[in-house]
Amino acid sequence: MTRLEDVGQADGWRCWLCDEAVDPDMSVNDDRGPSVDSMTSRSKGKATVFGTERLAHRGCNTRKGAIAPVVAWHKDLFVVDPAPIVTSVERLARKRGSEAMGRCPTEADAVAAAEWLVDRVGRLAPGLHVESRIQAGGGQYVVVLTS
Ligand SMILES: [Zn+2]
């Protein structure tokens, strides 16, 4: 098996950046084709790799460039002031703690966002165990992730 096949199988042939399926048979030169990526973050000009190698579409990997990847929130969620997912997950991976991820207008929205986040972070950082809780106050519901 090649390294790409190993990484692809470990990630279930799903792009860790956009969370969509990757076709293992597509050309590696195609934008929707598979590529191997690594999770790096930049702080004070220093790049840090954390986690293992991950599967990404070539296009997602290329657009990411040298900066931290932008992992999108699901479009159907109603979240005000959504936190940058990768930055928050990096902090949770570095040291245990809590991160406020966004505010929701209703409890149902917050529950949906919390469930989606825990599932999404589980694929983004498989080694990191996070739990969600919802803080109600001031007529809104804040989704908090704790590692
Ligand atoms: Zn992708």
Side-chain angles (χ1 to χ4, degrees), residues 1-140:
M1 281 224 293
T2 65
R3 184 160 136 269
L4 178 62
E5 282 170 340
D6 281 342
V7 173
Q9 275 190 2
D11 270 344
W13 295 104
R14 189 196 282 259
C15 173
W16 79 283
L17 293 168
C18 73
D19 208 29
E20 285 172 19
V22 179
D23 183 350
D25 297 325
M26 203 170 252
S27 162
V28 294
N29 297 315
D30 193 294
D31 249 18
R32 298 294 290 172
S35 74
V36 173
D37 191 19
S38 59
M39 199 167 188
T40 55
S41 65
R42 233 162 240 285
S43 135
K44 296 179 183 116
K46 203 176 76 173
T48 315
V49 177
F50 74 97
T52 52
E53 290 182 311
R54 305 301 301 272
L55 181 75
H57 292 112
R58 164 142 320 271
C60 292
N61 196 347
T62 305
R63 273 193 299 280
K64 171 170 84 72
I67 56 162
V70 175
V71 173
W73 284 73
H74 194 281
K75 58 177 171 30
D76 292 339
L77 295 172
F78 195 168
V79 181
V80 184
D81 287 342
I85 292 174
V86 165
T87 309
S88 299
V89 168
E90 275 172 5
R91 276 198 294 266
L92 289 171
R94 233 175 7 240
K95 58 180 170 93
R96 290 173 164 277
S98 297
E99 290 278 330
M101 299 301 294
R103 296 180 286 123
C104 297
T106 71
E107 188 167 12
D109 287 322
V111 168
E115 281 176 2
W116 178 83
L117 263 179
V118 168
D119 179 60
R120 185 67 185 93
V121 170
R123 288 193 300 281
L124 195 61
L128 179 69
H129 178 73
V130 293
E131 280 171 14
S132 66
R133 82 190 134 80
I134 293 158
Q135 267 173 7
Q140 59 189 12

